[in-house]
Structure formats: C-alpha cells, structure tokens
Amino acid sequence: MDLVQMQKSLQDYTKSLFLEGILDGQFLQLQQLQDESNPDFVSQVVTLFFQDSDRILNDLSLSLDQQVVDFKKVDPHVHQLKGSSSSIGAQRVKNACVVFRNFCEQQNVEACHRCLQQVKQEYYLVKNRLETLFKLEQQIVASGGMIPAVELGF
Amino acid sequence: MAEVLLPRKMEIANDPSKFGSPDPLHVLAVDDSHVDRKFIERLLRVSSCKVTVVDSATRALQYLGLGVEEKSVGFEDLKVNLIMTDYSMPGMTGYELLKKIKESSAFRQVPVVIMSSENILPRIDRCLEEGAEDFLLKPVKLSDVKRLRDSLMKVEDLSFTKSIQKRELETENAYPVHSQLKRAKI
C-alpha cells in the first residue's frame, strides 16, 4: 500500500469510529492539541486511560464479587472511569458508566454486574480500535508520511 | 481608583521595553485523575501558561506552604496566578481546598476555578458563594482556558500598570518638573 492509500485508510478508519459513536468530539480536541512539539500527545493520554481503566475495571470486579457489595467503593470507581473516558472522547464507555452509576444509586447488585460487563465490552472495543488507529499512524510515519487531519463532513 | 489608572494604560503599553514585560501566568492545577492532569497541563501549556500539576488537594496545600505542619515561611516569593482544581477528589475535595485557600492571608486573592464532570447547580452555587472565580464543566475546553487566561492577563496588566505608575511617581517626586500636573490628574 502506498502512502496516499495508507493516509486515506486512516482517515476512513477514524471517520468510522466517530460514525459508530465509539469516539466523540473530545477525541478531536485531543488531536488538535498535538503538534510537532508534542507529536505523541494523543497516544500518551490514551495510554494513561488504558492503564487507569485496567486498574479500575479490576477493582470493580473485585468489589462486585464481595459477599456484601460496598457501593461506597463501587460508585467512585465508576465515576472515575466515566470521567477519564469522557476526557478522551470514549463516548460509549462513558455512556455505559452513566447507566452503571444509576444502578449503583439503586444498589442493584445484579444490574451492576450486567453494567460492568457492558462497560468492559465497550472498553475493549475502544481499546482495540484505538490500538489499530495508532498502528496505522505509525505505519504512515514510518513511511515518511504525515498524519492527515481528520475531515468530518457529517 | 481603577478609572483614574485606565487612561494611563495606553501610554505604558506603547513602551513596555522601558519596564520589561509581565511573566507568563503560573497556574497550579489539581486533579486526582492521570488522564485529566495530562490534559489540563497540555491545555495550559498551549495557552502559554507556566504549569504546576499536583494529584491531590493535600499536595496543593503543601506546594503553597499551607500544609498542616508548615508555616508560610519562604513562600512569599511563590507566585501563583490561578488555581484550577477538580471538585471530586478522594480525601480533601476541591471545595474544601477552595475554602482553605480563601482562609489563607497569603493566597486568598488568587482566583480559584473549580472543574467538575457533573452539572449540579447547588454544587456550582456553593462554590461560587465560597469565592470560586468560575466553575468549568469537564472535559474542559481550550476556549475555557483561553478565556480565563485573557481575563487574568487584563488584571495582571492592570496591577503591573499600577506598579509602573507608582515607580513613575516616586521618580518624579525626585525630579519635580511635571509633578504639579500629575497630582492634578490623580
């Protein structure tokens, strides 16, 4: 694949993530903050998000598996995950967290288990997609090309 | 008092080299989230601010020399122009940090901005009542930061201007050629 084709693939791929609602405008904000002086800003922030999220999801699994679920512990974790996913534009993860928090408020353990599964699903999805996106970017840079700016015509 | 100073501002702006230029704004950002710390730091750097980021309200107080065991000795030179803090943090919240800052004689004049992902009106009201400069919904936008910076630069510019005029007056009292005119203006 030549450079132009790779750049087009990247653009199409990025667009699809927005169209599917996996990413929202906040991700664009991140991209706009990246420049020659900070060429890895987006991947750095996203990496922090992955690290935080892995930890939080682990803690959530443990908390929900307790005999008696302590919602005072569960809710702040979900709140944190909601916050960080919102900050990077991981829209579906954020939305899943909103639903999760409602069930935390109701102290509905079963529903919370389902919510955790849903959040995990959305998280692994966005993680997978972003890792692919970064790989595409790396291929372009390795071929001596520039990352094209995202053009959203919708 | 401000009304008297404003007409002089233009004069000084035309020749800033005589007195040097103001330093970049120094912002202290407080947030327990790694992601948000990285994000706010970048927003502030892009807006030409000097940034110090800490991960808790306790650390913020330590930085300012307001920690439990510390006295404000040696912190007179610490220049912080703005404090931006997350509201929901484990341990001490941003609201509690706001109160502590407003209680301190050294830092009560420093504007404090609260950031939160939750749009809860009573929370916003409480923060503003306690003296918060502004309340920003997360994720914070670059336009929010630029707006804050611009309004603070105006204040800094004004106080910078005041200090120039004070110096000018002192100089002219030593060489009283135009001092009669100056006194009449003020």
Side-chain angles (χ1 to χ4, degrees):
Chain A
M1 228 197 294
D2 72 3
L3 192 55
V4 176
Q5 271 179 305
M6 281 198 274
Q7 286 169 328
K8 176 93 186 13
S9 287
L10 175 64
Q11 271 186 316
D12 289 344
Y13 190 72
T14 310
K15 254 192 231 186
S16 74
L17 297 182
F18 287 104
L19 286 169
E20 285 176 72
I22 294 173
L23 293 178
D24 64 26
Q26 180 60 17
F27 189 76
L28 283 177
Q29 286 271 317
L30 288 186
Q31 289 184 316
Q32 281 166 10
L33 291 172
Q34 184 163 285
D35 60 20
E36 308 81 44
S37 70
N38 260 267
D40 299 316
F41 176 68
V42 181
S43 67
Q44 282 171 358
V45 181
V46 169
T47 302
L48 286 174
F49 169 67
F50 291 159
Q51 287 169 354
D52 274 0
S53 304
D54 288 338
R55 184 183 43 85
I56 290 171
L57 288 171
N58 196 44
D59 289 344
L60 277 172
S61 296
L62 288 171
S63 295
L64 283 177
D65 278 341
Q66 299 302 308
Q67 281 273 31
V68 181
V69 175
D70 185 357
F71 284 101
K72 284 211 181 70
K73 279 215 180 90
V74 175
D75 185 74
H77 280 138
V78 184
H79 171 77
Q80 235 189 317
L81 186 55
K82 180 188 138 226
S84 55
S85 56
S86 163
S87 292
I88 69 144
Q91 190 175 241
R92 296 205 328 208
V93 177
K94 179 192 71 173
N95 291 342
C97 287
V98 172
V99 176
F100 196 158
R101 281 196 92 193
N102 288 334
F103 285 118
C104 280
E105 231 175 297
Q106 295 170 28
Q107 308 218 352
N108 185 334
V109 178
E110 247 199 69
C112 281
H113 269 114
R114 287 199 297 273
C115 286
L116 178 59
Q117 291 322 305
Q118 185 65 21
V119 170
K120 278 184 176 173
Q121 212 176 302
E122 295 298 351
Y123 169 65
Y124 293 132
L125 178 63
V126 72
K127 184 170 189 195
N128 176 277
R129 298 294 170 95
L130 284 173
E131 283 172 343
T132 303
L133 188 122
F134 292 138
K135 276 211 193 82
L136 286 172
E137 284 185 349
Q138 278 160 17
Q139 279 169 3
I140 291 172
V141 171
S143 304
M146 298 250 299
I147 313 292
V150 178
E151 280 154 61
L152 296 178
F154 56 92
Chain B
M1 184 92 155
E3 289 77 3
V4 178
L5 293 168
L6 275 170
R8 300 275 330 249
K9 191 174 189 261
M10 291 308 290
E11 247 182 346
I12 285 145
N14 289 336
D15 192 9
S17 58
K18 251 204 247 173
F19 309 107
S21 52
D23 293 323
L25 289 184
H26 180 202
V27 184
L28 174 64
V30 191
D31 203 315
D32 62 309
S33 156
H34 284 148
V35 171
D36 289 348
R37 278 202 298 280
K38 181 106 183 139
F39 180 56
I40 194 77
E41 183 189 33
R42 184 69 185 143
L43 283 181
L44 289 165
R45 289 243 161 86
V46 161
S47 308
S48 314
C49 296
K50 178 176 165 213
V51 193
T52 301
V53 194
V54 294
D55 64 3
S56 71
T58 314
R59 277 211 227 280
L61 290 175
Q62 278 170 0
Y63 180 77
L64 297 170
L66 300 174
V68 178
E69 274 130 50
E70 284 147 276
K71 297 159 195 151
S72 291
V73 178
F75 288 90
E76 302 90 27
D77 293 332
L78 180 65
K79 190 79 174 98
V80 173
N81 303 108
L82 171 67
I83 296 168
M84 294 183 77
T85 178
D86 186 24
Y87 183 92
S88 309
M89 294 188 289
M92 199 186 296
T93 66
Y95 175 69
E96 287 158 352
L97 176 61
L98 165 68
K99 283 206 284 194
K100 286 238 150 62
I101 290 166
K102 293 303 169 189
E103 278 162 20
S104 85
S105 52
F107 295 102
R108 72 161 61 102
Q109 301 294 352
V110 178
V112 181
V113 169
I114 310 283
M115 304 178 283
S116 176
S117 57
E118 294 172 301
N119 195 2
I120 299 173
L121 282 175
R123 174 184 290 185
I124 299 173
D125 283 340
R126 223 184 320 140
C127 289
L128 294 175
E129 268 163 40
E130 204 58 45
E133 178 79 14
D134 207 341
F135 189 101
L136 299 176
L137 272 183
K138 281 177 158 187
V140 174
K141 306 226 169 356
L142 185 59
S143 54
D144 291 327
V145 172
K146 286 191 166 158
R147 182 173 50 81
L148 273 175
R149 178 207 59 191
D150 289 345
S151 70
L152 285 176
M153 290 298 281
K154 284 210 188 95
V155 173
E156 282 301 305
D157 211 20
L158 197 60
S159 69
F160 173 69
T161 306
K162 274 188 203 171
S163 70
I164 296 304
Q165 291 179 353
K166 183 166 181 282
R167 245 187 285 164
E168 275 198 320
L169 266 180
E170 283 161 6
T171 315
E172 277 167 13
N173 283 333
Y175 304 94
V177 180
H178 302 292
S179 62
Q180 295 295 328
L181 273 169
K182 289 276 155 61
R183 282 198 194 112
K185 264 192 191 169
I186 287 146

